[in-house]
Amino acid sequence: MKNIYILIALVIVGLFQSCSNVDEKLTESNIDITTPGLNSTDSWLRDNYTTPYNIDVTYKWDEGRVDLNRFLFPPTLENVIPIMEAVKIIWIDTYSAVGGEEFVKKIAPRELVLIGGFNLNENGTRTLGFAEGGKNIVLFEADLINLKDKASITRFVRTIQHEYTHILNQQFRFDEEAFKQVTPGDYTSQWFNPADRTERFDIANELGFITDYSRLSHTEDFAEMTATLLSNSAVDYQAILNNISKRIIDKAVSNALGQLDATATATEVKIATDAATLIATPQAEKAIDLIKQKEALVASYFLKQFNVDIYELQRVAAENIIKATI
């Protein structure tokens, strides 16, 4: 027993000597803690996005943020501030004016990523943007925006309105079951067929969808309805619906006239036109009614979940689109 105690004592002494003799030096950290240098664009983005809204805007190239199988590139530096100024006016300022100063501060992507050019898909379509888990929004085609053209600006910001709707939906779900039941059997992963965009839109509109992409799923349908409302004035939005109705009737008339012989008389043409119009008018009215049902669900969602009148949001957004056009 005495020998065991002696052995233990020797081991302990050896350990103390071992610890005291080893001089462990810490290596230098691999973390870069130096203050990054900010150019004028960085400073503007920090003052207008990061500090007030906790949104980081990334425009510099980072291969970890993009699909390396695509030909993508960062936006031109001088385009960044004008683009993001327009985005702030149309998106952030609109929600702040109607929903309150804290609206975007509380619910927002924590990062906006700008990509300069097209993001082309194998099916022939283009991805204009996407939201990842409510954390960031990636926006493509930043270098293709014409800030002097209202339609060009609207097309770009419409993408943000669409993706921001997804983020709002992740915070508060809309009535998905009610929305799905409006056009329950017409959603499809093959929404991009046929290849001709006009033909694709005609099919989607006839089925009660505001755009062709709306047919992908009920969540995309909801976001497309919201984005369409917020990227068009009330007058322009009604014009879209009127045009959908007109195209449905015109298509039916065109098909009917195509069945006539080249020798058809004016009377026969009129009869065929009137008959096709009579048959197609209820079809057009049904398509518009389905879209209006979806619109009502969007309006109800914003009012119930955020106490926001979607039509007031639409009015302010339309005014801000004009304000943002150089």
Side-chain angles (χ1 to χ4, degrees), residues 16-271:
F16 275 114
Q17 288 178 342
S18 176
C19 292
S20 62
N21 290 334
V22 175
D23 186 14
E24 296 184 358
K25 293 183 178 180
L26 295 176
T27 60
E28 293 184 4
S29 174
N30 291 324
I31 300 175
D32 184 3
I33 60 174
T34 59
T35 302
L38 301 180
N39 58 35
S40 58
T41 299
D42 296 326
S43 298
W44 188 93
L45 292 172
R46 176 170 291 189
D47 292 341
N48 289 274
Y49 278 87
T50 309
T51 299
Y53 300 103
N54 194 28
I55 299 174
D56 185 29
V57 180
T58 300
Y59 64 91
K60 298 175 182 177
W61 183 250
D62 183 349
E63 64 180 17
R65 298 180 182 277
V66 297
D67 187 346
L68 296 180
N69 293 320
R70 310 289 178 95
F71 180 72
L72 302 171
F73 52 86
T76 306
L77 180 61
E78 55 264 30
N79 291 339
V80 174
I81 290 180
I83 290 169
M84 295 313 299
E85 192 165 26
V87 168
K88 181 179 182 299
I89 292 171
I90 300 171
W91 168 46
I92 294 180
D93 291 355
T94 295
Y95 272 95
S96 297
V98 181
E101 288 295 328
E102 299 299 311
F103 194 100
V104 178
K105 293 179 181 180
K106 291 180 179 179
I107 307 176
R110 291 306 153 214
E111 182 183 45
L112 294 175
V113 180
L114 296 181
I115 305 296
F118 293 112
N119 185 9
L120 299 175
N121 301 310
E122 292 181 358
N123 58 26
T125 62
R126 299 185 346 241
T127 297
L128 300 178
F130 58 82
E132 293 184 318
K135 297 178 182 179
N136 69 355
I137 294 177
V138 180
L139 298 166
F140 300 92
E141 304 186 16
D143 271 355
L144 306 178
I145 303 171
N146 181 359
L147 295 174
K148 296 181 181 180
D149 180 56
K150 176 185 172 183
S152 180
I153 294 176
T154 302
R155 187 164 51 249
F156 184 75
V157 178
R158 186 188 189 284
T159 303
I160 296 178
Q161 300 285 21
H162 175 108
E163 300 303 338
Y164 188 54
T165 300
H166 286 315
I167 291 175
L168 294 177
N169 291 164
Q170 289 176 356
Q171 294 292 320
F172 299 97
R173 305 301 298 182
F174 63 96
D175 190 341
E176 298 185 46
E177 287 305 314
F179 198 91
K180 281 191 289 187
Q181 290 310 308
V182 179
T183 49
D186 295 315
Y187 292 107
T188 174
S189 60
Q190 299 298 307
W191 65 271
F192 47 84
N193 287 322
D196 183 81
R197 190 169 184 267
T198 299
E199 186 178 354
R200 202 163 64 222
F201 253 84
D202 284 343
I203 294 171
N205 293 158
E206 289 169 9
L207 294 172
F209 295 89
I210 197 68
T211 67
D212 54 349
Y213 184 60
S214 298
R215 295 189 66 199
L216 176 60
S217 68
H218 66 283
T219 54
E220 297 302 333
D221 195 4
F222 189 95
E224 283 290 275
M225 280 300 310
T226 304
T228 302
L229 282 164
L230 297 183
S231 57
N232 293 278
S233 67
V235 172
D236 291 339
Y237 175 73
Q238 185 58 49
I240 290 173
L241 299 186
N242 293 343
N243 187 51
I244 289 173
S245 180
K246 182 178 183 300
R247 287 205 329 272
I248 291 174
I249 295 172
D250 287 349
K251 181 180 178 181
V253 170
S254 178
N255 290 338
L257 295 180
Q259 300 300 315
L260 297 178
D261 293 332
T263 58
T265 65
T267 300
E268 290 173 327
V269 169
K270 186 178 185 308
I271 292 173

